[in-house]
Amino acid sequence: MSGILAGKRILVTGVLTESSIAFQAAKVAQNEGAEVILTGFGRLSLVERIAKRLPKEAPVIELDVTNQEQLDGLAGKVRELQGEDARIDGIVHSIAFGPQGAFNFLEATWEDVSTAVQVSAYSYKSLTTALLPLMSEGASVVGLTFDAQIAWPKYDWMGVAKAALESTNRYLARDLGPKGIRCNLVSAGPLKSMAAKSIPGFEELADVWNHRAPIGWDLADPEPAGRGVVGLLSDFFPRTTGEIVHVDGGVHMMGA
């Protein structure tokens, strides 16, 4: 099979529904020639059902990124699937979570905030290092962020967690660069996904895009962001690392 990911083996986290960026990234990756493994947490049967809707059904590994035992066993699970020549050429980190308290900046507790930062930012590092034994020069790690340069309405401590993710990406790029491994983020615009349902006031946040995206933005179309992820997974950006690529209709660069 030809394509920009031909022969590559990609692990994708965060696939819950077809409306997710992670699903679109997995779908485009397969269409571009990659073998894909999915991970799931909690609702594993749901992830397994969604995996059947990909162009080619993908195997699913259970993974809770806050569980060190599962992280320690992740490379072994991949080896069980792939055999002696096991390897990972790319990782898609599409994991974020904040308790409801994290969406109230002044009243949030440290428990709320620490959970948001651990799941949304620290896991980017812990997932990558868990798979590092299977990665080699030319591998690529791609995470998903929501532009943390400004304070968004209603986003509150999740915005702080995304800022931590963006900083984590830079340090990870610094430390893995000598190994020839690239680390980049896609900063996507808002989408009406399952994750969006957990954000109080999401409609107010998303409405910004209705007025400020110069090239337009479709809240129901995750494919552009998925394509951005696949582009960064490919070999077309061999010396791009520590970067944030905006797939947001241009909102990030608009002035007041």
Side-chain angles (χ1 to χ4, degrees):
M1 185 180 292
S2 62
I4 62 173
L5 296 185
K8 291 189 179 294
R9 294 174 176 177
I10 309 297
L11 183 136
V12 181
T13 67
V15 173
L16 279 178
T17 67
E18 290 178 82
S19 64
S20 67
I21 297 173
F23 179 88
Q24 290 299 319
K27 178 181 177 181
V28 175
Q30 285 189 341
N31 287 337
E32 291 296 330
E35 295 178 27
V36 171
I37 297 173
L38 305 182
T39 71
F41 167 62
R43 291 163 286 189
L44 207 61
S45 60
L46 174 59
V47 181
E48 290 168 344
R49 287 200 299 271
I50 295 298
K52 295 177 181 178
R53 299 178 188 175
L54 289 167
K56 179 181 179 181
E57 182 178 352
V60 179
I61 296 174
E62 183 176 12
L63 178 65
D64 175 359
V65 291
T66 67
N67 184 319
Q68 191 58 49
E69 184 177 348
Q70 289 189 15
L71 285 167
D72 291 342
L74 181 57
K77 294 287 187 181
V78 173
R79 289 190 181 99
E80 289 175 12
L81 289 172
Q82 295 182 348
E84 293 182 3
D85 65 340
R87 71 175 194 279
I88 290 295
D89 302 302
I91 299 170
V92 178
H93 178 278
S94 182
I95 302 170
F97 172 74
Q100 285 298 299
F103 296 96
N104 186 320
F105 190 80
L106 294 180
E107 296 183 13
T109 66
W110 170 239
E111 184 178 2
D112 295 329
V113 175
S114 62
T115 297
V117 171
Q118 180 182 15
V119 177
S120 308
Y122 181 77
S123 67
Y124 186 65
K125 189 281 298 185
S126 58
L127 173 65
T128 302
T129 52
L131 290 169
L132 205 52
L134 300 178
M135 301 173 76
S136 59
E137 185 173 355
S140 175
V141 183
V142 183
L144 290 161
T145 188
F146 189 72
D147 198 341
Q149 297 179 90
I150 63 174
W152 294 104
K154 309 296 183 181
Y155 208 45
D156 294 6
W157 284 101
M158 280 304 296
V160 177
K162 290 299 187 181
L165 171 65
E166 294 177 10
S167 183
T168 300
N169 180 64
R170 290 187 286 271
Y171 282 99
L172 200 60
R174 179 198 68 182
D175 287 357
L176 297 188
K179 298 179 182 295
I181 298 173
R182 294 171 289 124
C183 303
N184 295 288
L185 299 176
V186 166
S187 181
L191 293 161
K192 289 184 177 178
S193 63
M194 185 172 290
K197 294 178 181 179
S198 67
I199 302 174
F202 173 78
E203 295 298 333
E204 180 182 340
L205 172 63
D207 190 53
V208 173
W209 268 256
N210 293 328
H211 309 288
R212 295 176 61 81
I215 202 169
W217 183 254
D218 186 347
L219 291 167
D221 185 11
E223 186 176 353
R227 287 183 173 275
V229 170
V230 169
L232 288 170
L233 288 171
S234 78
D235 295 332
F236 280 80
F237 294 88
R239 291 294 176 264
T240 298
T241 195
E243 186 58 87
I244 300 173
V245 175
H246 290 81
V247 184
D248 68 347
V251 167
H252 73 281
M253 58 84 183
M254 294 293 287

PDB file of all heavy atoms in Angstrom, residues 39-60:
ATOM      1  N   THR A  39      -5.492   2.528  21.719  1.00  0.00           N
ATOM      2  CA  THR A  39      -5.592   2.253  23.150  1.00  0.00           C
ATOM      3  C   THR A  39      -6.921   2.804  23.643  1.00  0.00           C
ATOM      4  O   THR A  39      -7.477   3.741  23.079  1.00  0.00           O
ATOM      5  CB  THR A  39      -4.446   2.895  23.968  1.00  0.00           C
ATOM      6  OG1 THR A  39      -4.623   4.320  23.997  1.00  0.00           O
ATOM      7  CG2 THR A  39      -3.091   2.537  23.385  1.00  0.00           C
ATOM      8  N   GLY A  40      -7.432   2.181  24.712  1.00  0.00           N
ATOM      9  CA  GLY A  40      -8.688   2.624  25.278  1.00  0.00           C
ATOM     10  C   GLY A  40      -8.661   2.558  26.783  1.00  0.00           C
ATOM     11  O   GLY A  40      -7.915   1.763  27.372  1.00  0.00           O
ATOM     12  N   PHE A  41      -9.473   3.397  27.402  1.00  0.00           N
ATOM     13  CA  PHE A  41      -9.556   3.433  28.862  1.00  0.00           C
ATOM     14  C   PHE A  41     -11.015   3.446  29.283  1.00  0.00           C
ATOM     15  O   PHE A  41     -11.814   4.214  28.759  1.00  0.00           O
ATOM     16  CB  PHE A  41      -8.849   4.678  29.413  1.00  0.00           C
ATOM     17  CG  PHE A  41      -9.139   4.960  30.858  1.00  0.00           C
ATOM     18  CD1 PHE A  41      -8.775   4.046  31.841  1.00  0.00           C
ATOM     19  CD2 PHE A  41      -9.795   6.111  31.247  1.00  0.00           C
ATOM     20  CE1 PHE A  41      -9.053   4.291  33.178  1.00  0.00           C
ATOM     21  CE2 PHE A  41     -10.075   6.369  32.578  1.00  0.00           C
ATOM     22  CZ  PHE A  41      -9.706   5.459  33.544  1.00  0.00           C
ATOM     23  N   GLY A  42     -11.352   2.587  30.230  1.00  0.00           N
ATOM     24  CA  GLY A  42     -12.714   2.587  30.754  1.00  0.00           C
ATOM     25  C   GLY A  42     -13.669   1.833  29.847  1.00  0.00           C
ATOM     26  O   GLY A  42     -13.856   0.630  29.992  1.00  0.00           O
ATOM     27  N   ARG A  43     -14.222   2.553  28.879  1.00  0.00           N
ATOM     28  CA  ARG A  43     -15.204   1.963  27.971  1.00  0.00           C
ATOM     29  C   ARG A  43     -14.504   1.232  26.825  1.00  0.00           C
ATOM     30  O   ARG A  43     -14.597   1.608  25.655  1.00  0.00           O
ATOM     31  CB  ARG A  43     -16.135   3.052  27.452  1.00  0.00           C
ATOM     32  CG  ARG A  43     -17.041   3.612  28.524  1.00  0.00           C
ATOM     33  CD  ARG A  43     -17.657   4.931  28.120  1.00  0.00           C
ATOM     34  NE  ARG A  43     -16.685   6.014  28.165  1.00  0.00           N
ATOM     35  CZ  ARG A  43     -16.989   7.295  28.036  1.00  0.00           C
ATOM     36  NH1 ARG A  43     -18.246   7.642  27.846  1.00  0.00           N
ATOM     37  NH2 ARG A  43     -16.063   8.230  28.091  1.00  0.00           N
ATOM     38  N   LEU A  44     -13.812   0.151  27.162  1.00  0.00           N
ATOM     39  CA  LEU A  44     -13.008  -0.560  26.171  1.00  0.00           C
ATOM     40  C   LEU A  44     -13.880  -1.160  25.066  1.00  0.00           C
ATOM     41  O   LEU A  44     -13.487  -1.166  23.906  1.00  0.00           O
ATOM     42  CB  LEU A  44     -12.183  -1.648  26.855  1.00  0.00           C
ATOM     43  CG  LEU A  44     -10.877  -2.044  26.154  1.00  0.00           C
ATOM     44  CD1 LEU A  44      -9.943  -0.858  26.053  1.00  0.00           C
ATOM     45  CD2 LEU A  44     -10.202  -3.194  26.878  1.00  0.00           C
ATOM     46  N   SER A  45     -15.058  -1.652  25.434  1.00  0.00           N
ATOM     47  CA  SER A  45     -15.944  -2.252  24.428  1.00  0.00           C
ATOM     48  C   SER A  45     -16.375  -1.207  23.403  1.00  0.00           C
ATOM     49  O   SER A  45     -16.556  -1.522  22.221  1.00  0.00           O
ATOM     50  CB  SER A  45     -17.169  -2.881  25.100  1.00  0.00           C
ATOM     51  OG  SER A  45     -17.907  -1.894  25.815  1.00  0.00           O
ATOM     52  N   LEU A  46     -16.536   0.039  23.845  1.00  0.00           N
ATOM     53  CA  LEU A  46     -16.886   1.121  22.926  1.00  0.00           C
ATOM     54  C   LEU A  46     -15.755   1.365  21.938  1.00  0.00           C
ATOM     55  O   LEU A  46     -15.984   1.507  20.727  1.00  0.00           O
ATOM     56  CB  LEU A  46     -17.188   2.400  23.710  1.00  0.00           C
ATOM     57  CG  LEU A  46     -17.427   3.676  22.885  1.00  0.00           C
ATOM     58  CD1 LEU A  46     -18.599   3.485  21.931  1.00  0.00           C
ATOM     59  CD2 LEU A  46     -17.649   4.872  23.795  1.00  0.00           C
ATOM     60  N   VAL A  47     -14.523   1.398  22.437  1.00  0.00           N
ATOM     61  CA  VAL A  47     -13.369   1.607  21.563  1.00  0.00           C
ATOM     62  C   VAL A  47     -13.253   0.466  20.556  1.00  0.00           C
ATOM     63  O   VAL A  47     -12.970   0.680  19.372  1.00  0.00           O
ATOM     64  CB  VAL A  47     -12.065   1.729  22.384  1.00  0.00           C
ATOM     65  CG1 VAL A  47     -10.868   1.962  21.459  1.00  0.00           C
ATOM     66  CG2 VAL A  47     -12.171   2.860  23.392  1.00  0.00           C
ATOM     67  N   GLU A  48     -13.514  -0.758  21.017  1.00  0.00           N
ATOM     68  CA  GLU A  48     -13.441  -1.916  20.122  1.00  0.00           C
ATOM     69  C   GLU A  48     -14.501  -1.842  19.031  1.00  0.00           C
ATOM     70  O   GLU A  48     -14.251  -2.228  17.876  1.00  0.00           O
ATOM     71  CB  GLU A  48     -13.583  -3.200  20.939  1.00  0.00           C
ATOM     72  CG  GLU A  48     -12.372  -3.481  21.817  1.00  0.00           C
ATOM     73  CD  GLU A  48     -12.610  -4.584  22.839  1.00  0.00           C
ATOM     74  OE1 GLU A  48     -13.781  -4.930  23.096  1.00  0.00           O
ATOM     75  OE2 GLU A  48     -11.608  -5.095  23.373  1.00  0.00           O
ATOM     76  N   ARG A  49     -15.685  -1.326  19.358  1.00  0.00           N
ATOM     77  CA  ARG A  49     -16.720  -1.153  18.336  1.00  0.00           C
ATOM     78  C   ARG A  49     -16.319  -0.087  17.326  1.00  0.00           C
ATOM     79  O   ARG A  49     -16.506  -0.248  16.118  1.00  0.00           O
ATOM     80  CB  ARG A  49     -18.056  -0.776  18.984  1.00  0.00           C
ATOM     81  CG  ARG A  49     -18.738  -1.924  19.707  1.00  0.00           C
ATOM     82  CD  ARG A  49     -20.226  -1.633  19.896  1.00  0.00           C
ATOM     83  NE  ARG A  49     -20.464  -0.434  20.693  1.00  0.00           N
ATOM     84  CZ  ARG A  49     -20.560  -0.431  22.021  1.00  0.00           C
ATOM     85  NH1 ARG A  49     -20.408  -1.560  22.703  1.00  0.00           N
ATOM     86  NH2 ARG A  49     -20.802   0.691  22.678  1.00  0.00           N
ATOM     87  N   ILE A  50     -15.771   1.010  17.835  1.00  0.00           N
ATOM     88  CA  ILE A  50     -15.336   2.087  16.941  1.00  0.00           C
ATOM     89  C   ILE A  50     -14.187   1.615  16.052  1.00  0.00           C
ATOM     90  O   ILE A  50     -14.084   2.005  14.884  1.00  0.00           O
ATOM     91  CB  ILE A  50     -14.919   3.328  17.756  1.00  0.00           C
ATOM     92  CG1 ILE A  50     -16.126   3.912  18.491  1.00  0.00           C
ATOM     93  CG2 ILE A  50     -14.299   4.386  16.855  1.00  0.00           C
ATOM     94  CD1 ILE A  50     -17.233   4.403  17.587  1.00  0.00           C
ATOM     95  N   ALA A  51     -13.309   0.760  16.594  1.00  0.00           N
ATOM     96  CA  ALA A  51     -12.168   0.246  15.823  1.00  0.00           C
ATOM     97  C   ALA A  51     -12.632  -0.503  14.580  1.00  0.00           C
ATOM     98  O   ALA A  51     -11.925  -0.542  13.566  1.00  0.00           O
ATOM     99  CB  ALA A  51     -11.315  -0.664  16.699  1.00  0.00           C
ATOM    100  N   LYS A  52     -13.821  -1.080  14.631  1.00  0.00           N
ATOM    101  CA  LYS A  52     -14.355  -1.827  13.488  1.00  0.00           C
ATOM    102  C   LYS A  52     -14.832  -0.900  12.377  1.00  0.00           C
ATOM    103  O   LYS A  52     -15.087  -1.348  11.257  1.00  0.00           O
ATOM    104  CB  LYS A  52     -15.500  -2.724  13.948  1.00  0.00           C
ATOM    105  CG  LYS A  52     -15.064  -3.829  14.901  1.00  0.00           C
ATOM    106  CD  LYS A  52     -16.249  -4.652  15.395  1.00  0.00           C
ATOM    107  CE  LYS A  52     -15.775  -5.732  16.367  1.00  0.00           C
ATOM    108  NZ  LYS A  52     -16.903  -6.530  16.912  1.00  0.00           N
ATOM    109  N   ARG A  53     -14.959   0.393  12.683  1.00  0.00           N
ATOM    110  CA  ARG A  53     -15.430   1.353  11.685  1.00  0.00           C
ATOM    111  C   ARG A  53     -14.285   1.998  10.916  1.00  0.00           C
ATOM    112  O   ARG A  53     -14.525   2.807  10.016  1.00  0.00           O
ATOM    113  CB  ARG A  53     -16.289   2.422  12.366  1.00  0.00           C
ATOM    114  CG  ARG A  53     -17.528   1.835  13.037  1.00  0.00           C
ATOM    115  CD  ARG A  53     -18.340   2.898  13.747  1.00  0.00           C
ATOM    116  NE  ARG A  53     -19.412   2.288  14.539  1.00  0.00           N
ATOM    117  CZ  ARG A  53     -20.227   2.961  15.344  1.00  0.00           C
ATOM    118  NH1 ARG A  53     -20.085   4.272  15.474  1.00  0.00           N
ATOM    119  NH2 ARG A  53     -21.167   2.336  16.027  1.00  0.00           N
ATOM    120  N   LEU A  54     -13.069   1.670  11.286  1.00  0.00           N
ATOM    121  CA  LEU A  54     -11.918   2.140  10.522  1.00  0.00           C
ATOM    122  C   LEU A  54     -11.853   1.383   9.201  1.00  0.00           C
ATOM    123  O   LEU A  54     -12.473   0.322   9.053  1.00  0.00           O
ATOM    124  CB  LEU A  54     -10.632   1.916  11.324  1.00  0.00           C
ATOM    125  CG  LEU A  54     -10.434   2.822  12.537  1.00  0.00           C
ATOM    126  CD1 LEU A  54      -9.294   2.287  13.406  1.00  0.00           C
ATOM    127  CD2 LEU A  54     -10.153   4.254  12.105  1.00  0.00           C
ATOM    128  N   PRO A  55     -11.106   1.881   8.221  1.00  0.00           N
ATOM    129  CA  PRO A  55     -10.972   1.145   6.957  1.00  0.00           C
ATOM    130  C   PRO A  55     -10.525  -0.302   7.178  1.00  0.00           C
ATOM    131  O   PRO A  55     -10.965  -1.209   6.476  1.00  0.00           O
ATOM    132  CB  PRO A  55      -9.908   1.955   6.200  1.00  0.00           C
ATOM    133  CG  PRO A  55     -10.065   3.348   6.736  1.00  0.00           C
ATOM    134  CD  PRO A  55     -10.424   3.188   8.182  1.00  0.00           C
ATOM    135  N   LYS A  56      -9.670  -0.510   8.176  1.00  0.00           N
ATOM    136  CA  LYS A  56      -9.262  -1.853   8.583  1.00  0.00           C
ATOM    137  C   LYS A  56      -9.345  -1.914  10.103  1.00  0.00           C
ATOM    138  O   LYS A  56      -8.781  -1.056  10.788  1.00  0.00           O
ATOM    139  CB  LYS A  56      -7.829  -2.145   8.118  1.00  0.00           C
ATOM    140  CG  LYS A  56      -7.335  -3.527   8.527  1.00  0.00           C
ATOM    141  CD  LYS A  56      -5.905  -3.751   8.067  1.00  0.00           C
ATOM    142  CE  LYS A  56      -5.410  -5.132   8.507  1.00  0.00           C
ATOM    143  NZ  LYS A  56      -3.993  -5.354   8.088  1.00  0.00           N
ATOM    144  N   GLU A  57     -10.059  -2.895  10.636  1.00  0.00           N
ATOM    145  CA  GLU A  57     -10.215  -2.983  12.085  1.00  0.00           C
ATOM    146  C   GLU A  57      -8.850  -3.006  12.773  1.00  0.00           C
ATOM    147  O   GLU A  57      -7.950  -3.747  12.376  1.00  0.00           O
ATOM    148  CB  GLU A  57     -11.002  -4.227  12.464  1.00  0.00           C
ATOM    149  CG  GLU A  57     -11.247  -4.345  13.964  1.00  0.00           C
ATOM    150  CD  GLU A  57     -12.070  -5.563  14.346  1.00  0.00           C
ATOM    151  OE1 GLU A  57     -12.590  -6.238  13.432  1.00  0.00           O
ATOM    152  OE2 GLU A  57     -12.185  -5.847  15.560  1.00  0.00           O
ATOM    153  N   ALA A  58      -8.706  -2.168  13.800  1.00  0.00           N
ATOM    154  CA  ALA A  58      -7.430  -2.058  14.514  1.00  0.00           C
ATOM    155  C   ALA A  58      -7.520  -2.756  15.865  1.00  0.00           C
ATOM    156  O   ALA A  58      -8.570  -2.716  16.518  1.00  0.00           O
ATOM    157  CB  ALA A  58      -7.065  -0.590  14.722  1.00  0.00           C
ATOM    158  N   PRO A  59      -6.428  -3.382  16.309  1.00  0.00           N
ATOM    159  CA  PRO A  59      -6.415  -3.974  17.651  1.00  0.00           C
ATOM    160  C   PRO A  59      -6.450  -2.889  18.713  1.00  0.00           C
ATOM    161  O   PRO A  59      -5.998  -1.759  18.475  1.00  0.00           O
ATOM    162  CB  PRO A  59      -5.099  -4.749  17.682  1.00  0.00           C
ATOM    163  CG  PRO A  59      -4.229  -4.084  16.669  1.00  0.00           C
ATOM    164  CD  PRO A  59      -5.152  -3.579  15.605  1.00  0.00           C
ATOM    165  N   VAL A  60      -6.971  -3.222  19.886  1.00  0.00           N
ATOM    166  CA  VAL A  60      -7.120  -2.259  20.975  1.00  0.00           C
ATOM    167  C   VAL A  60      -6.410  -2.777  22.215  1.00  0.00           C
ATOM    168  O   VAL A  60      -6.590  -3.936  22.619  1.00  0.00           O
ATOM    169  CB  VAL A  60      -8.605  -2.015  21.301  1.00  0.00           C
ATOM    170  CG1 VAL A  60      -8.739  -1.022  22.461  1.00  0.00           C
ATOM    171  CG2 VAL A  60      -9.352  -1.499  20.082  1.00  0.00           C
TER     172      VAL A  60
END
